[in-house]
Amino acid sequence: MKNVTYCFIVNPVSGKNKGKKVMVLVEEVLKKKNVDYQLYVTNKPGEAQFLASQASREKYDVIVAIGGDGTIHEVLNGMIHSKKKLGIIPAGTGNDLAKSLNYPTNVEQALETVLNGHTRKIDIGRINGNYFINFASIGLDALIAEEANKMKKLYSSRYTYVLAVLKGIIVFKSPTIKVLIDGKEQKREIMLLAICNGAYYGGGMKIAPTADVADGYLDVCLIRKMSKLKLLFLFPTIFTGNHVKYKEVEFYRGKKVEVSSQSKFKFNADGEVKDHLPTTVEIIEKGIEIIWNKENTFLES
């Protein structure tokens, strides 16, 4: 891409300070290539969204998130009402969005994609007025995400999520929820309800194996209440997508998902935990234009 102005928003502490290391490498390449860019570094939660909102009103053509899925989530929500293009350079612990998009996780390759890739519009989700690009979930997963975020402040590795799962399973109590998927009601006592745009979450778990970010639908994975011992056996199978074989696992597809419950619990959007129920989740078809490598043909029209 020629004559393009870039805004890079960096979370330096993502991936246990991986963001800072990636930032240094990225700036070296940008300066060598004489790219027209500005780089901003976040100092606290929520700042990436604020910076992206500012950047969306300025001269930049592309806004690039350097960080994990939470950073990308904030940048998305900051730039959502603009016509700017989104680029990503994965620098988090799990980088699930990169997996869902088949996006390069190698820093040099990701930067090359941002600078020279093509563009493609993909779907995003809207949840109670906020937006997500990969998934939203309710139940055990939100508790696990909250525990994982706490653990990352002390210890960050690919096993952080696994440890958070083990703790979450011990303390979690299954709520009863009512789910309307395009108006069709399901009432279940659940362990988890995952509403997915992408296929992966939670550090590489293939929660929605058939999800496609450009098909105009949300993929819903509902896991009914089961014994915690059985759940411990089910959990590892999610990494390969083999959880689909369990009778307690149900799959649906739709454009609008409404969730309500008498219980109060949290939901997880792209790894960011928030309080709010009832919840309405909708697909926004072609809601964001992302920089893409044309060789990744699954997003081709």
Side-chain angles (χ1 to χ4, degrees), residues 7-78:
C7 173
F8 289 81
I9 298 175
V10 186
N11 179 357
V13 299
S14 62
K16 200 175 182 181
N17 299 317
K18 182 180 178 181
K20 185 176 181 179
K21 297 175 183 177
V22 170
M23 175 183 69
V24 173
L25 178 58
V26 165
E27 282 217 272
E28 288 177 358
V29 176
L30 294 174
K31 289 175 181 177
K32 287 179 181 178
K33 292 180 175 288
N34 293 315
V35 175
D36 186 0
Y37 79 97
Q38 181 66 50
L39 186 145
Y40 297 96
V41 180
T42 65
N43 295 302
K44 57 186 177 181
E47 192 169 8
Q49 181 170 340
F50 172 77
L51 291 170
S53 179
Q54 281 193 322
S56 69
R57 297 190 294 271
E58 296 180 5
K59 62 180 180 179
Y60 307 108
D61 301 294
V62 180
I63 300 175
V64 185
I66 300 180
D69 294 314
T71 304
I72 298 168
H73 176 82
E74 286 193 19
V75 170
L76 170 71
N77 276 276

Side-chain angles (χ1 to χ4, degrees), residues 222-227 230 234 245-250:
L222 187 154
I223 300 179
R224 301 195 306 272
K225 182 182 179 181
M226 64 181 71
S227 71
K230 187 171 186 177
L234 179 147
K245 298 177 182 179
Y246 281 77
K247 65 180 182 180
E248 292 88 354
V249 179
E250 303 174 12

Side-chain angles (χ1 to χ4, degrees), residues 141-143 145-147 149 266-269 271-275:
D141 180 70
L143 175 62
E146 187 174 34
E147 292 296 336
N149 288 340
K266 299 179 180 181
F267 72 80
N268 172 14
E272 298 297 298
V273 181
K274 304 175 191 258
D275 291 300

Side-chain angles (χ1 to χ4, degrees), residues 111-128:
L111 180 56
E112 185 66 22
T113 295
V114 167
L115 298 179
N116 298 298
H118 297 260
T119 64
R120 182 71 162 95
K121 289 186 177 181
I122 65 171
D123 305 329
I124 57 174
R126 181 169 60 204
I127 181 166
N128 295 341

Side-chain angles (χ1 to χ4, degrees), residues 206-227:
K206 201 171 185 179
I207 187 69
T210 62
D212 182 335
V213 296
D215 65 355
Y217 284 90
L218 294 164
D219 283 56
V220 181
C221 176
L222 187 154
I223 300 179
R224 301 195 306 272
K225 182 182 179 181
M226 64 181 71
S227 71

